[in-house]
């Protein structure tokens, strides 16, 4: 049993080295989250092979987990640096908040008179 601990330690160190030798931050982030994908897809494949209806939802959950893993790592290591380099811009992946354009808004009507249409109102009739 002593050798199992040594083997596990060696695998963790090899995994860490594999992450850090990635060429770009995107590659390193992707490699750090790969085990979640591997396990999720293995469980999803086993569920599909077993004839259950849960395989697709497990794979979808695995993809969500992968996304949130990558987002958490990016937020922890790279978000502050990115905000300093791009002041005032929203973080990548966040929806842009656009201020409304006052010129494009419709003017408010103050008339209290009902509006009329040249077309007659539609009536709902059932089958004859």
């Amino acid at each position: 049993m002593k050798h199992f601990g040594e083997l596990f330690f060696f695998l963790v160190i090899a995994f860490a080295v594999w992450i850090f030798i990635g060429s770009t931050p995107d590659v390193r982030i992707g490699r750090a989250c790969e085990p979640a994908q591997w396990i999720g897809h293995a469980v999803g494949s086993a569920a599909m092979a077993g004839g259950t209806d849960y395989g697709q939802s497990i794979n979808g959950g695995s993809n969500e987990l992968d996304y949130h893993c990558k987002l958490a790592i990016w937020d922890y290591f790279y978000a502050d640096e990115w905000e300093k380099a791009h002041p005032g811009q929203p973080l990548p992946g966040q929806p842009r908040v656009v201020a409304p354009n006052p010129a494009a808004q419709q003017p408010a009507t103050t008339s209290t008179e009902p509006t009329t249409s040249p077309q007659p109102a539609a009536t709902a009739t059932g089958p004859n």
Side-chain angles (χ1 to χ4, degrees):
M1 206 41 129
K2 173 182 162 187
H3 297 292
F4 177 76
E6 293 171 353
L7 177 65
F8 183 74
F9 178 76
F10 174 74
L11 290 174
V12 169
I13 296 299
F15 179 69
V17 168
W18 179 65
I19 290 171
F20 288 117
I21 62 172
S23 58
T24 65
D26 291 340
V27 172
R28 289 189 292 270
I29 290 171
R31 287 181 176 186
C33 296
E34 280 295 311
Q37 282 287 86
W38 296 335
I39 293 169
H41 287 298
V43 171
S45 296
M48 283 190 275
T52 67
D53 295 334
Y54 299 113
Q56 290 296 331
S57 63
I58 291 172
N59 283 338
S62 172
N63 291 336
E64 279 289 313
L65 180 63
D66 181 56
Y67 168 76
H68 289 292
C69 174
K70 289 176 181 178
L71 182 62
I73 292 172
W74 189 87
D75 282 344
Y76 187 78
F77 289 106
Y78 300 105
D80 291 338
E81 181 181 325
W82 192 90
E83 285 177 341
K84 288 177 187 173
H86 302 90
Q89 294 182 5
L91 294 175
Q94 291 183 343
R96 291 182 180 257
V97 178
V98 179
N101 184 357
Q105 294 178 349
Q106 297 291 331
T109 58
T110 58
S111 173
T112 58
E113 296 179 17
T115 58
T116 59
S117 174
Q119 298 177 351
T123 59
T125 58
N128 294 335

